[in-house]
Amino acid sequence: MSAKRVPIPKNGVDYRGKIVLAPMVRSGELPSRLLALKYGADLVWGPETVDRAIIGSTRKVNPITSTIDFTRFPSNGSRESPLNQKESVIYRLHPAREHGRLIYQIGTASPVLAVEAAKMVASDVAGIDVNAGCPKPFSTSGGMGAALLQTPELLASILEALVKEIGEIYEIGISVKIRLLETPEKTEALVRKLCGTGITGLTVHCRTTPMRPRERAIREQLRMIGNICREQGVACLMNGDVTNRDEAIKLAEEYGVNGGMIATAAESNSSCFRTLEEGGLLPWQEVVHEYMKIALEVDNRWGNTKFLLSQLIPGKAETYRTIAGSKNYRQAVEILGLEDLYDKARDLDERLGITELTGKYLEKAKRKNKSAIAAGMSGKKQKITDRARQTPLSQRGVETTPTMVV
């Protein structure tokens, strides 16, 4: 008798036999996902995106990058005139290069908002995954992420709503990512409840909510979780201390689960998805070159690119500190010696407004200069009386608005 399987929808994807990229807030943006796919990842999870962030965004096809961008204007009380405000990219995906392989992870604590948010992207992705494992306060404070583990009825209702109103209508799979609970008994009860909601996949991070990444993953409950998922026909992936494809395959076989999810190892070298037979890990220089090429192709935000470079370049490398001081793409490719990318870097800097001493950096320089002159530091020493020292800066013409760090 064949094992039970929850049917995989026409536009969905089966997680069985897959080694995938984990959802990571900064390391799961489009360039990182495309890099992982290039080196052999079977599927990629996007970064957790809170339901309210994507609701109300505008879906646009970007002719420059061939991407689909979900954008919106800032709603945080910006002092800039609406005419001067630029739309922020909430989520960017590549419909050709990620087709059938992108899983959108949503941060939510409401069935209604979860469905509304999922409708925004359901036609462009292969699945919707609910984050029920993030332990960070920005997620748990709103009842999302790992906080959902303490409200299993709510979590189950979110999944049921998504299965009915998204999965069945858009014909894609719905899945969930969880952590271990305090006892095996509690974990078992939760997994059984979630597997009964109609989901096609479940990923378990083999750590409890209080545990940090430096603490060794706990795999003692993994076989039990895999057995429950198999009984219910739900694909099961494991996450936690998985360093490469070969190890993921070995661990999946050992514990009776269907595949593995790689996080930290992929953040530091995406070629971890290559098998040893394929050559294994590539030198960091080659990986960084490929990452920069992709980042330039999709107009990635400079701040995100700079962060990823700090992860991909070893701390002991000579260029590590130099890159930390770079202000734009042009400087980065010069430091890295990537002459073939210089023209593209210059062009992207211009589009992003981050050419040297232009855009944000020019305004920052102007503010600094204005403050220096107003404070009497224009090159001439001035005597400041005790009375003047006690005068508020705002009355002495000094700019007191803090500069935003970018």
Side-chain angles (χ1 to χ4, degrees), residues 81-375:
S81 165
L83 295 176
N84 297 328
Q85 289 185 12
K86 291 185 177 180
E87 290 184 283
S88 299
V89 177
I90 305 300
Y91 201 87
R92 174 171 284 163
L93 60 89
H94 201 292
R97 295 160 75 174
E98 294 188 288
H99 178 69
R101 300 190 287 178
L102 172 62
I103 307 301
Y104 180 91
Q105 190 182 70
I106 186 172
T108 187
S110 162
V112 174
L113 293 179
V115 168
E116 188 177 352
K119 285 180 179 178
M120 298 292 300
V121 300
S123 298
D124 298 304
V125 300
I128 301 292
D129 186 72
V130 173
N131 183 344
C134 179
K136 300 294 184 181
F138 75 80
S139 188
T140 57
S141 61
M144 302 178 289
L148 288 170
L149 300 176
Q150 305 305 319
T151 55
E153 295 296 335
L154 174 59
L155 176 54
S157 69
I158 291 172
L159 295 173
E160 289 169 346
L162 286 170
V163 168
K164 182 177 180 180
E165 300 185 50
I166 301 298
E168 294 179 5
I169 294 175
Y170 293 89
E171 297 185 280
I172 60 175
I174 305 299
S175 60
V176 63
K177 186 171 187 285
I178 67 170
R179 283 186 173 234
L180 300 174
L181 292 181
E182 297 85 352
T183 66
E185 293 75 20
K186 289 183 178 181
T187 300
E188 179 180 356
L190 176 67
V191 172
R192 289 191 182 280
K193 176 180 285 291
L194 301 184
C195 284
T197 60
I199 58 174
T200 59
L202 179 145
T203 302
V204 56
H205 185 150
C206 296
R207 291 184 173 90
T208 60
T209 300
M211 291 177 68
R212 298 280 73 88
R214 65 178 179 275
E215 298 180 75
R216 185 181 64 83
I218 302 171
R219 299 201 175 105
E220 286 77 6
Q221 300 182 42
L222 189 54
R223 189 177 302 280
M224 174 264 290
I225 296 170
N227 288 339
I228 296 171
C229 287
R230 188 163 47 256
E231 291 169 7
Q232 300 296 318
V234 175
C236 181
L237 299 179
M238 62 164 293
N239 174 224
D241 291 348
V242 183
T243 60
N244 57 58
R245 174 176 284 275
D246 289 328
E247 182 183 39
I249 294 172
K250 180 180 178 181
L251 288 171
E253 292 176 351
E254 180 180 352
Y255 289 97
V257 295
N258 302 116
M261 177 178 278
I262 304 178
T264 307
E267 187 175 50
S268 59
N269 191 322
S270 304
S271 65
C272 63
F273 288 102
R274 288 159 42 104
T275 64
L276 189 59
E277 186 177 334
E278 294 169 329
L281 285 180
L282 291 167
W284 70 263
Q285 294 90 339
E286 185 173 339
V287 176
V288 164
H289 189 176
E290 190 63 34
Y291 173 78
M292 286 294 287
K293 185 167 71 172
I294 295 173
L296 290 167
E297 289 171 351
V298 300
D299 284 15
N300 196 46
R301 289 182 299 105
W302 165 243
N304 180 253
T305 296
K306 185 175 179 179
F307 170 78
L308 261 295
L309 289 175
S310 74
Q311 305 303 302
L312 294 170
I313 300 173
K316 294 182 180 180
E318 186 176 341
T319 54
Y320 181 83
R321 288 189 178 181
T322 318
I323 280 291
S326 60
K327 303 295 184 183
N328 52 36
Y329 278 101
R330 183 185 61 78
Q331 291 182 5
V333 298
E334 286 180 345
I335 292 168
L336 295 167
L338 307 178
E339 296 179 2
D340 58 311
L341 301 180
Y342 183 88
D343 290 343
K344 289 183 179 180
R346 180 198 58 209
D347 293 344
L348 181 52
D349 284 344
E350 291 178 356
R351 287 200 298 278
L352 297 178
I354 56 172
T355 52
E356 196 169 14
L357 290 182
T358 62
K360 296 178 182 177
Y361 296 102
L362 178 58
E363 292 304 315
K364 184 176 179 180
K366 285 182 177 179
R367 287 197 297 271
K368 283 186 176 181
N369 188 50
K370 179 181 177 181
S371 299
I373 293 174

